Amino acid sequence: MAKDKITSSSTAEYFSKNLQQVGFSSPTKAVLTTLKEAVDNSLDACEEQGILPEISVVIEKKGTGTLKNTDLIHIRVEDNGPGLSLDDVPKVFGEYLASSKFGRGRCSRGQQGIGISAATTWAQLTSAKGVTVTTKTKTMRQAVQVQVAVDIKHNKGVLKEKKEGKLKNPHGLSVEFLIDGRIQLQGEGGLITYLTGTALVNPHLTLHYTLPDQKPVTISRVSNDCPEVPSATEPHPHTMKLGEFIAHSHLFGRITLKAWLKKGFSRISDNSLAEFVKNGLNKKMLDMSVDKINEAQFKDIFSVIHKTELMSPSTKSVMTIGEESFSKSVRRLGEVDFFSVVTRKPTICDYKPVAVEVAVARLKGVTKGEGTEDGPVQVLRFANRVPLQFDKSACAMVKAIESVNWRAYGLQQPKDSLPSGPYVVAVSLVSPFIKFKNASKETIDASDELVEELRRTLIQAGQRLSRHIKKEHREQDLENKLRYIEQFCPILVDCLCRITKAPEKRKKKATEGLEKILGRDLTAAKKEFKEADLAAKEAAAKGKIQIITDDAVEAPELEEKPSKGKKREVKSQQPEAKPTKTTAKASVKRAASKEKSAT
């Protein structure tokens, strides 16, 4: 019997046959994943150059797709980033595992260099076209437009149809995909859900988007502070398996074991090397070249390192949104009645630096879906400031939310489930070494340490929410008591006056005294209205403020200059009520109504 011929495949060939592993498992997910990869790359490019990102997204239907029950979808994403040189374009869009961030240990959205190449492959497979890229750097005189295709057999990008292009900005990048897919706007895999979520955890982003059968939308930035991307950090040796440990040594060429351990890992110093020797490592081996160490020796070295206690890795490599910027961003979710934002100090989970941020907001006007009075709360999950929209039930964040006793904080909660009510719970996790369950980065693997850190942050946010809810209940109880007194005391005064045959003057005095005790003095309310009216007119005459009417809504002002020093963090707050003429007028009407009912 003849032996079967053994062949080898390129990385591109493998992924072209297994695109479901990187987010192209359905036509709906194909559209979302293509958009997500393009936007993520734009944000990373802008932040690395210190540019405040402005991104435009246009998605439209162009006809019927080649696959069954699909449409031909055109996706265009343009940014104001640094752009790409023509030499880098085929590597970025047509070559798998080609990335400047691969294995660098940075808190960037993209890591492996797979996603955008997979989007090019999907476009090539479904519409017989790759991706159209228009790029312009500061050194280029004119924008250049090219077609990029994937050479699947050799895992390389191929440039086609090079010509002159146009961009809105002086420099930047535009990508256009023509793919088979289906458009979903709302819900777990919705495009609007993704875009609003991206704006929420990127307060420095200005986002313009136009979707089919929708009006153009602009979400303006609420912060002028472009986040500083921390320096890359090396992995901690206790996080590695033996095979990873050996493979890691091959990246450094001819180098001594001593130099490799200090250069290739975090928290290994000369003192650590001395501890390794005490725990059984042959001292002579430290001066051996790593390319001459055999597998058995690597196993002994690995065993000694894991027996030795090492300092936890530094947390300087993680970045956070910040409570102040996150608080401003939460207001863009809709009509927010109350919100609480918590940013935990970066810590170590499973020998990896992590930072957790949580926002809990109560919304008004939500009538259907998640986040309604009778339904479960709406959960927004983010990893390295990227929305996660699938496989929610298996995610570490959801497990942490379910583990908190929300009933203690005033929310309804079925057993072992999410709490219910008109709330949004947004959880953001940032780390250079997030462990995802799959290559498409849809859900985070749950470890005990990570779930506990998430749980602690959620409890802090819940405690702040609880204080607000209890205050509301106390105010409601007081209002109910005053209402009962207002309802029955005039009757009591009238009866007492008739029994004692008191004069009308005495009855009037008793009624006025009752109003003062209850704080419903109509005269004081009229005086307050007159003072507010006069102050508003004077300010308007001087041009300092604008009088707000019932039909006008004041937009939050954007700071003109970025803050230089570290500001005191905003913990929790209720949207501030604006003192206006309308408010004072309402007080008068309310007091007059109460007086009428009392008499």
Side-chain angles (χ1 to χ4, degrees), residues 379 381 388 391-403 427 429 434-435 437 442-455 458:
V379 177
R381 300 171 295 135
L388 307 178
D391 201 11
K392 183 169 68 175
S393 59
C395 186
M397 297 178 183
V398 174
K399 291 182 184 299
I401 296 172
E402 291 175 345
S403 70
V427 184
L429 176 67
I434 293 180
K435 187 177 180 182
K437 284 194 170 183
E442 294 171 351
T443 185
I444 296 172
D445 197 15
S447 71
D448 293 340
E449 287 187 27
L450 180 58
V451 170
E452 182 59 28
E453 178 64 18
L454 292 164
R455 174 183 159 81
L458 288 161

Side-chain angles (χ1 to χ4, degrees), residues 220-352:
S220 301
R221 65 174 59 93
V222 293
S223 172
N224 281 326
D225 295 331
C226 188
E228 293 183 12
V229 182
S231 302
T233 185
E234 299 299 335
H236 196 278
H238 287 178
T239 64
M240 285 192 164
K241 301 178 182 67
L242 177 60
E244 292 176 301
F245 183 75
I246 297 173
H248 190 56
S249 69
H250 298 159
L251 302 176
F252 292 81
R254 292 184 177 180
I255 187 174
T256 63
L257 176 63
K258 175 171 59 178
W260 171 58
L261 291 175
K262 290 170 66 175
K263 185 178 180 181
F265 297 96
S266 62
R267 298 305 196 185
I268 292 185
S269 61
D270 291 329
N271 291 335
S272 304
L273 297 176
E275 288 294 320
F276 296 158
V277 174
K278 285 182 183 179
N279 289 336
L281 180 65
N282 190 339
K283 191 174 182 179
K284 292 180 180 179
M285 198 174 288
L286 291 173
D287 295 320
M288 287 180 62
S289 177
V290 290
D291 60 337
K292 294 182 179 179
I293 298 175
N294 59 40
E295 188 176 314
Q297 290 172 323
F298 264 121
K299 192 172 182 180
D300 292 337
I301 296 167
F302 184 76
S303 177
V304 167
I305 291 175
H306 273 258
K307 284 193 297 185
T308 307
E309 287 189 12
L310 295 173
M311 190 184 299
S312 297
S314 171
T315 58
K316 291 181 180 179
S317 60
V318 297
M319 60 190 300
T320 58
I321 304 166
E323 291 188 355
E324 185 176 355
S325 296
F326 208 1
S327 296
K328 292 177 182 177
S329 224
V330 165
R331 294 176 181 270
R332 301 190 288 184
L333 287 172
E335 191 177 354
V336 178
D337 180 66
F338 171 82
F339 66 87
S340 171
V341 175
V342 176
T343 296
R344 288 270 289 183
K345 187 178 178 181
T347 187
I348 303 298
C349 294
D350 306 311
Y351 298 102
K352 299 171 186 175

Side-chain angles (χ1 to χ4, degrees), residues 479-491:
E479 183 65 27
N480 288 337
K481 289 175 184 176
L482 292 175
R483 186 162 50 83
Y484 292 144
I485 294 172
E486 285 178 330
Q487 185 177 356
F488 295 109
C489 274
I491 300 172

Side-chain angles (χ1 to χ4, degrees), residues 59-284:
I59 299 178
E60 51 191 348
K61 294 180 182 179
K62 290 292 188 179
T64 305
T66 57
L67 298 176
K68 187 178 180 181
N69 297 325
T70 62
D71 298 310
L72 188 62
I73 309 297
H74 177 252
I75 300 172
R76 186 174 189 272
V77 178
E78 182 176 342
D79 63 50
N80 63 332
L84 281 173
S85 67
L86 280 179
D87 292 337
D88 289 335
V89 168
K91 294 178 182 178
V92 171
F93 293 95
E95 186 175 336
Y96 286 84
L97 298 178
S99 171
S100 62
K101 301 180 277 283
F102 183 70
R104 285 179 63 187
R106 298 187 69 177
C107 294
S108 55
R109 298 167 182 85
Q111 296 284 344
Q112 296 93 354
I114 294 175
I116 201 69
S117 302
T120 304
T121 305
W122 179 263
Q124 190 170 317
L125 293 175
T126 58
S127 67
K129 289 185 179 180
V131 57
T132 302
V133 180
T134 307
T135 180
K136 184 179 184 302
T137 64
K138 288 182 179 179
T139 58
M140 294 169 64
R141 291 184 179 179
Q142 180 66 40
V144 178
Q145 185 182 95
V146 293
Q147 283 274 344
V148 182
V150 179
D151 181 350
I152 293 177
K153 279 289 181 186
H154 302 95
N155 186 29
K156 286 191 176 181
V158 180
L159 292 183
K160 300 178 180 179
E161 300 179 15
K162 179 181 173 183
K163 61 182 180 180
E164 186 178 302
K166 289 184 180 180
L167 288 175
K168 295 178 183 177
N169 300 295
H171 50 80
L173 191 79
S174 168
V175 294
E176 295 181 64
F177 295 92
L178 197 62
I179 65 172
D180 283 3
R182 284 198 304 269
I183 291 176
Q184 178 182 333
L185 296 180
Q186 301 287 358
E188 189 178 62
L191 300 179
I192 295 177
T193 305
Y194 166 74
L195 291 168
T196 54
T198 299
L200 175 65
V201 289
N202 295 279
H204 60 297
L205 164 67
T206 293
L207 179 63
H208 312 277
Y209 65 85
T210 304
L211 303 177
D213 304 321
Q214 303 283 317
K215 293 181 180 179
V217 176
T218 295
I219 304 177
S220 301
R221 65 174 59 93
V222 293
S223 172
N224 281 326
D225 295 331
C226 188
E228 293 183 12
V229 182
S231 302
T233 185
E234 299 299 335
H236 196 278
H238 287 178
T239 64
M240 285 192 164
K241 301 178 182 67
L242 177 60
E244 292 176 301
F245 183 75
I246 297 173
H248 190 56
S249 69
H250 298 159
L251 302 176
F252 292 81
R254 292 184 177 180
I255 187 174
T256 63
L257 176 63
K258 175 171 59 178
W260 171 58
L261 291 175
K262 290 170 66 175
K263 185 178 180 181
F265 297 96
S266 62
R267 298 305 196 185
I268 292 185
S269 61
D270 291 329
N271 291 335
S272 304
L273 297 176
E275 288 294 320
F276 296 158
V277 174
K278 285 182 183 179
N279 289 336
L281 180 65
N282 190 339
K283 191 174 182 179
K284 292 180 180 179

